[in-house]
Amino acid sequence: MRRFTVRDITLAAMVAALYAVMGYFGNIFGLTFGPVQCRFAEALTVLPFVFPAAAPGLVVGCFLTNLISLYGPLDLVLGTLATAIAAWLTMRMPRWYLAALPPILVNAIILPPIWAWAETGAVNSAFWAACGFNAVTFIPGEALACYVLGTLLLFALPKVPVLRPFASEQKLAHL
């Protein structure tokens, strides 16, 4: 396992700050939390494919954003855990077009039940209806953020000269 350098910590801090700012800004317009969620900061979740040092920054940024979550401690802990799992899986994706799948799938599995529990407080028919509704409204927004915006970032950021040293040369070959 390789050690984190000052450069890696700097990139992680930049990603954390950017994720948190984007999350808080999106919350002003009701996009970060709510029935139809399109958290634009989720576009950053594809970055670990090319920039492995971005993964810890995503986790910290998600945690900071979830501090204002409407769904309380469950979302704060499990939502942040979902981002950590998705970032880890994204780093291991073999091709660029698969990089957005882990954030979409992991979040689609973990988040809708958390929200349904917060809305209903019990596992009953209302819970399952809320869980289904949450998944149906969440997945398109997450796919938009990850596949459309995230893919744009995935191709654009490695071309920025100052970010090039952060990139995994092995993964750049797959872009």
Side-chain angles (χ1 to χ4, degrees), residues 52-140:
L58 290 170
V59 175
V60 171
C62 181
F63 178 82
L64 293 172
T65 301
N66 284 345
L67 287 172
I68 61 169
S69 173
L70 308 170
Y71 302 105
L74 271 179
D75 196 23
L76 185 65
V77 174
L78 296 178
T80 303
L81 179 63
T83 298
I85 293 167
W88 183 79
L89 291 172
T90 299
M91 283 191 291
R92 282 147 181 77
M93 288 292 108
R95 300 279 182 252
W96 69 268
Y97 52 84
L98 298 173
L101 276 180
I104 295 168
L105 295 177
V106 171
N107 285 324
I109 291 168
I110 294 176
L111 299 181
I114 294 170
W115 302 333
W117 177 263
E119 294 163 0
T120 64
V123 177
N124 52 27
S125 59
F127 169 85
W128 294 110
C131 191
F133 176 77
N134 290 335
V136 167
T137 59
F138 168 76
I139 292 171

Side-chain angles (χ1 to χ4, degrees), residues 46 96-101 104 142-152:
V46 300
W96 69 268
Y97 52 84
L98 298 173
L101 276 180
I104 295 168
E142 184 76 358
L144 172 72
C146 293
Y147 261 111
V148 176
L149 300 175
T151 300
L152 290 172

Side-chain angles (χ1 to χ4, degrees), residues 27-41:
N27 194 48
I28 294 170
F29 299 103
L31 297 173
T32 301
F33 303 101
V36 177
Q37 176 177 318
C38 186
R39 189 183 284 193
F40 293 116

